Amino acid sequence: MRADRRSFMKAATLGAAAAVAAPYGFVKTINQAWGAQSWLKKGEPIKIGLLFSLSGGLAVPEEDSTLVMQYAIDEINKNGGIAGSPIEPVIVDAKSDFNVYSEKTKELILRNRVVAIFGCYTSASRKAILPTVMAQNHLLYYPTCYEGAECTQNTICTGPLANQHSRDLIPFMVEQFGKKVFFVGSNYVWPKESNKNAKVWLEKAGGELLGEEYIPLGSSEFGPVLNKIREAKPSFIFSTVVGASDIAFHKQFKQEGFKVDSMPIASLTTGEIETRAMGNEFGAGHFLSAPYFQGLDNPTNHKFVEGFLKSKYGKNGTTHYNMEETYLSAYVFKYGLEKAIAAGGIEAVTPRSIRDHSGGVRVEDAISPEGLVWIDDQNFNTWLKPKIGQCQADGSFKIVKASAEHVAPDPYSIYPDLGKCTADGLKAADGKVRKSVI
């Protein structure tokens, strides 16, 4: 007995010392073990992580994501917060470095103990942090477009999937400008997978792919690519170039003498913020597919644009699709968390329980600048109305096509044989379910 007691005391002492020495030691949630630490406590701030790049090549879109999240948090806090508790952001600069995204994700979850992370712009950065998010059964709000072909139980996405994005843009451009297309993208997973989808839509539209080129993420040298485009003579260019590279591509397109009226660029990323950064003359005449544009004419958007631009966060002088999708994610979080609290009390909330209560969450017209959207209760992506805009001389976008109905998100739209993304995982035709598929 005495030996057993000594062994027990020694083990307890070593365990306590290890907990102090390891600042990243994982503490189980309240409904996983007796005496475990809860993620939230009544009356205390609700901590969330903002993991975007404030420096480097991805800062052009991602700095605005950080700014608009702070704006949304202030807005929610001024209206009583969530269940009487204010939201407290932990802001991190990911420095456009995938290793930093991964490292800081661990810090946010294990040291800062945020209950959710809002972050990333590229799929490469998302895939860099997802293994940690899933290993800790945590929660990522990914507030931008992505390629699909993914089914995790730890992600909520408020941007469009490929079937809500390029499926309308490709046939529209073929009809308006011709069948011959040249693809240009940044060299990582989102452009390449997006182009697989675009090829399907192009074939169905009777188009012809003349060439497909990828440049390193962050590169600003497009001379060789533009030479190939000059030789190929496409009807239009389909671009999945992102960040600072996108700005360089549009500027060099014009500087090299290409004419937008005879060979426009159709993009999935070049919105108002990129146009402002490059200069309106370089964006004018080109096209973008997105669910949101600053010029949308509805009372909620007018209020959002005016309020944001007049706030201390509106320093960059414009709103755009990625900002609006990020803004929506703050309210999706609020409504999902409120449902989780109502179901079991605030101290029983876990990151996963927020996700599980977010299926079907709606952001109504009165809050959403793009109009009503809602979260799919199976794949936790967003039902929305796709739109196509053409950039004008003043940098604004004129809507040239808009869906009359909401389009369901379909992560596996070109891979139906792989199965269907459900709330529990990817369900194959034989009924077997694979969890956390990336």
Side-chain angles (χ1 to χ4, degrees):
M1 286 290 289
R2 201 170 292 170
D4 290 344
R5 185 177 186 277
R6 282 199 299 268
S7 298
F8 171 80
M9 292 302 293
K10 182 178 180 181
T13 302
L14 290 172
V20 173
Y24 300 116
F26 179 61
V27 182
K28 290 186 176 181
T29 55
I30 191 168
N31 54 0
Q32 289 177 313
W34 174 85
Q37 183 180 352
S38 60
W39 288 94
L40 302 177
K41 292 183 179 180
K42 188 174 182 180
E44 293 187 3
I46 297 166
K47 294 173 70 174
I48 63 172
L50 306 188
L51 183 59
F52 297 102
S53 289
L54 306 178
S55 58
L58 296 175
V60 172
E62 292 198 32
E63 179 191 33
D64 284 307
S65 294
T66 301
L67 292 169
V68 80
M69 271 300 296
Q70 292 176 86
Y71 176 75
I73 289 166
D74 283 359
E75 195 172 69
I76 292 169
N77 286 345
K78 286 176 183 177
N79 287 296
I82 301 174
S85 293
I87 302 173
E88 179 184 306
V90 180
I91 300 171
V92 175
D93 179 9
K95 302 180 181 179
S96 302
D97 185 323
F98 302 139
N99 291 324
V100 176
Y101 280 102
S102 178
E103 175 186 313
K104 294 302 181 181
T105 297
K106 295 173 185 175
E107 283 191 21
L108 286 169
I109 295 173
L110 303 176
R111 175 177 286 175
N112 301 114
R113 286 191 58 77
V114 300
V115 75
I117 294 173
F118 296 74
C120 305
Y121 175 71
T122 67
S123 287
S125 54
R126 186 186 73 253
K127 288 182 181 293
I129 76 171
L130 272 178
T132 298
V133 171
M134 292 187 298
Q136 301 296 344
N137 204 14
H138 212 265
L139 178 59
L140 169 66
Y141 287 82
Y142 185 64
T144 190
C145 59
Y146 80 111
E147 67 283 354
E150 188 172 289
C151 184
T152 82
Q153 293 75 67
N154 302 88
T155 311
I156 295 174
C157 179
T158 50
L161 286 164
N163 75 296
Q164 302 166 309
H165 218 193
S166 56
R167 189 170 69 179
D168 287 343
L169 181 60
I170 293 293
F172 171 84
M173 295 300 294
V174 168
E175 181 181 342
Q176 296 294 319
F177 295 98
K179 297 180 177 181
K180 297 181 178 181
V181 190
F182 201 104
F183 287 1
V184 182
S186 295
N187 192 11
Y188 71 101
V189 61
W190 176 72
K192 291 182 177 181
E193 190 63 35
S194 293
N195 284 344
K196 288 181 183 178
N197 282 266
K199 289 173 188 175
V200 173
W201 319 138
L202 182 62
E203 183 179 356
K204 290 182 178 180
E208 178 185 356
L209 181 61
L210 301 182
E212 184 174 1
E213 293 290 326
Y214 296 94
I215 59 101
L217 191 62
S219 174
S220 60
E221 178 49 62
F222 286 89
V225 173
L226 288 170
N227 286 337
K228 291 181 180 180
I229 292 173
R230 197 187 307 275
E231 293 177 7
K233 296 182 175 62
S235 308
F236 68 94
I237 299 165
F238 178 66
S239 172
T240 49
V241 179
V242 304
S245 300
D246 187 25
I247 294 165
F249 180 46
H250 278 76
K251 293 180 78 169
Q252 290 173 39
F253 174 92
K254 185 176 179 66
Q255 291 164 352
E256 289 291 324
F258 290 91
K259 303 298 182 183
V260 68
D261 55 347
S262 60
M263 192 193 299
I265 299 172
S267 175
L268 301 182
T269 58
T270 313
E272 291 89 346
I273 190 66
E274 289 83 4
T275 301
R276 186 179 179 88
M278 71 178 71
N280 295 342
E281 68 272 24
F282 297 105
H286 297 298
F287 293 84
L288 170 70
S289 175
Y292 172 83
F293 294 90
Q294 181 174 304
L296 289 181
D297 188 13
N298 67 67
T300 301
N301 187 48
H302 296 325
K303 179 182 176 182
F304 169 66
V305 172
E306 182 179 2
F308 178 76
L309 295 183
K310 285 184 176 180
S311 76
K312 61 183 178 181
Y313 305 113
K315 65 176 186 176
N316 291 329
T318 189
T319 64
H320 62 106
Y321 70 93
N322 199 61
M323 290 173 60
E324 191 262 356
E325 291 157 10
T326 306
Y327 177 79
L328 292 180
S329 71
Y331 281 92
V332 171
F333 169 71
K334 168 181 163 63
Y335 301 146
L337 176 52
E338 287 174 341
K339 287 175 65 177
I341 291 171
I346 192 166
E347 295 199 9
V349 168
T350 66
R352 176 59 186 268
S353 73
I354 300 172
R355 180 267 189 186
D356 291 345
H357 284 92
S358 294
V361 158
R362 295 162 65 93
V363 185
E364 302 283 353
D365 290 336
I367 296 294
S368 171
E370 71 182 68
L372 169 67
V373 299
W374 65 90
I375 302 300
D376 190 86
D377 64 1
Q378 291 299 308
N379 60 51
F380 292 83
N381 290 275
T382 304
W383 287 67
L384 49 78
K385 291 183 177 180
K387 303 171 185 68
I388 298 171
Q390 183 178 27
C391 188
Q392 305 298 293
D394 63 356
S396 66
F397 281 76
K398 177 183 177 182
I399 307 300
V400 294
K401 183 175 182 179
S403 174
E405 304 294 334
H406 286 83
V407 175
D410 185 357
Y412 292 87
S413 57
I414 66 169
Y415 303 111
D417 293 342
L418 292 180
K420 183 176 181 181
C421 185
T422 71
D424 296 322
L426 184 62
K427 187 175 183 179
D430 62 5
K432 293 182 179 179
V433 176
R434 294 171 58 206
K435 294 185 178 295
S436 298
V437 179
I438 59 171

